[in-house]
Each structure stands twice: as structure tokens, then as C-alpha cells.
Amino acid sequence: MNRFAGQVVVVTGTAQGIGRATAERMFAEGAEVVLVDRSEVVHEVAGGLLAGGRKAHGLIADLEEYTGAIEVMSEAHGLHGGIDVLVNTVGGTIWAKPYEHYPPEQIEAEVRRSLFPTLWSCRAVLPYLIAQGRGTIVNVSSVATRGINRVPYAAAKGGVNAITTALAMEAAEHGIRVVATAPGGTEAPPRRIARGPAPEGDQERAWYQQIVDQTVDSTLLGRYGTVDEQAAAIAFLASPEASYITGSVLPVAGGDLG
């Protein structure tokens, strides 16, 4: 398919996981892709995307900070003269434990990781989309808004859902769609950049296993998904085929609706 031919697509969180799979798929479907991550691995991933004279650009930015989002959207716009699609995938659980065991600094870190990159990136890209009178934002939330042992992460992803529905109402008059996917448990290649410390001790490993068990038990299909299954849903929502969809959060979780 060539659904994104001639379109400029910015994908955040592209060093690995769902973000990388999404960037690769968009590129394969004809997009001019700008990959964003705070790890230098993003340059390696971007360097591997070459086809028909097209190449991807990798940019490093800390999207937990507003200045990082502003700078990267400005640079992406300068490279291509426009931005057609923004996909926000940055986020992920850092710790896994019952809420009463989270110290305040970890709660704040979870929210910074999984809410602010989307909040800032939407704000940073919006003036460009409004000026051109069109565009699509696809946020990546999570069905873990209804899950155990990660209340701060759930709160952050609930915020992503709220950004999606509220911004869709504001942006529609400018020809801008805002949508989201809500992934369930997703198998991915081994992480090259860790989200946080590995579980320490039997108790922390047991808390993490509770998440795994609850995730599988909540799906009708009884399994984790793949990064390609997540990227396929994101690409659909970003594509012209979804032109009459906005303000929606699509669960991609084997029947778990979150």
C-alpha cells in the first residue's frame, strides 16, 4: 500500500517498540518520516530506512520538556515544509507495584514519562496543523487505565485519553483529526534502552507477574499482541481511510476494552 505517499509523518518514541514499528510501517507506505527519541539509537533506526531516494530523519529530543517538543516540531517542519501526521508513542510503565508502595517521586516520574510527552507534542505541533488547515494526531494510550499495580501510569494514560477527546473537539474546525489507540500487552523485541530498573526481589517480581496474568486474563484472545499489530492500527487511524474518525480511542488489546 502507498497510503502515506507525499505525507510528512512525525513519530515519537521510535528507538524501539511500537514507535519503531510504526515509523517503519509509515515509511514502507510512502511517508517522509521524522523519527524522534531521546536516545541516539534513533539515528541508527532512521539510517536503516532508505527507499526510492527517500530517507528518514532522526531527531533527538526530551519530550518530557516543552522546549524539547517545540524544537523538534520546528525542525521537522523546517525539513519538509509541513507536518501531516503526528504519532505520539512515548510512554510506558517504569515501576509495577500496588499504589501504596509508590513514593511521591516515582508517581511524578510516571506521569512525566507517560503524559507530558503527548501533552507537549500536541501543543507544539498544533500551530503548524492549524496554519495549513489539516492534519492528524494519533496518540498511543493504554487499556491499563483499568489495570492493577500501576495507578500512576494509568492516571497518565487516562490523561492521554482526555487530551484525545477534548482536543478533537477543538481541532475539528481546523480540519484536524485527533484519535488514539489503547494497546494491551504487547510482545516486543528485547529493549535496548530500559524504561526503569528491573524488578528487585521476589515481591517485585510477583507484583509484575500479577500485571502479566491480569493482562492475559482480560483479553478474549488470551495472548499478548505484537508491535506489528499495534502499528497496523495506528497506521489505519492516521490514514485517509479513517477520515471520518476523530475523538475516538481504539482498544487494540485482543478484546480487552480497558
Side-chain angles (χ1 to χ4, degrees), residues 30 33 37 47 63-64 114 118 125 138 162-163 183 187 194 211 241 247 251:
V33 180
D37 203 280
L63 298 177
E64 292 182 20
S114 292
T118 296
V125 80
V138 184
I163 293 167
E187 295 282 1
I211 290 179
E241 294 172 293

Side-chain angles (χ1 to χ4, degrees), residues 51-89:
R54 290 181 301 121
K55 66 178 182 178
H57 292 90
L59 303 179
I60 294 178
D62 182 358
L63 298 177
E64 292 182 20
E65 301 294 333
Y66 180 56
T67 54
I70 286 289
E71 289 169 3
V72 83
M73 297 306 163
S74 175
E75 189 168 355
H77 188 274
L79 284 168
H80 296 287
I83 298 172
D84 297 289
V85 178
L86 168 64
V87 181
N88 291 309
T89 80

Side-chain angles (χ1 to χ4, degrees), residues 160-182:
V160 171
N161 291 345
I163 293 167
T164 301
T165 55
L167 184 56
M169 295 184 71
E170 289 188 16
E173 66 176 293
H174 302 290
I176 300 165
R177 295 189 302 114
V178 186
V179 289
T181 64

Side-chain angles (χ1 to χ4, degrees), residues 92-109:
T93 305
I94 306 173
W95 295 278
K97 63 183 90 175
Y99 190 42
E100 67 268 24
H101 293 282
Y102 276 89
E105 62 272 16
Q106 289 184 359
I107 294 170
E108 292 183 3

Side-chain angles (χ1 to χ4, degrees), residues 191-212:
R191 298 186 65 85
R192 296 179 62 180
I193 306 102
R195 284 179 179 160
E200 295 181 2
D202 291 342
Q203 181 61 82
E204 289 194 2
R205 283 189 287 272
W207 285 333
Y208 185 81
Q209 187 61 45
Q210 287 175 346
I211 290 179
V212 174

Side-chain angles (χ1 to χ4, degrees), residues 103-123:
E105 62 272 16
Q106 289 184 359
I107 294 170
E108 292 183 3
E110 293 276 11
V111 173
R112 284 197 306 272
R113 169 74 60 84
S114 292
L115 175 63
F116 277 92
T118 296
L119 193 66
W120 294 145
S121 294
C122 285
R123 174 61 181 84

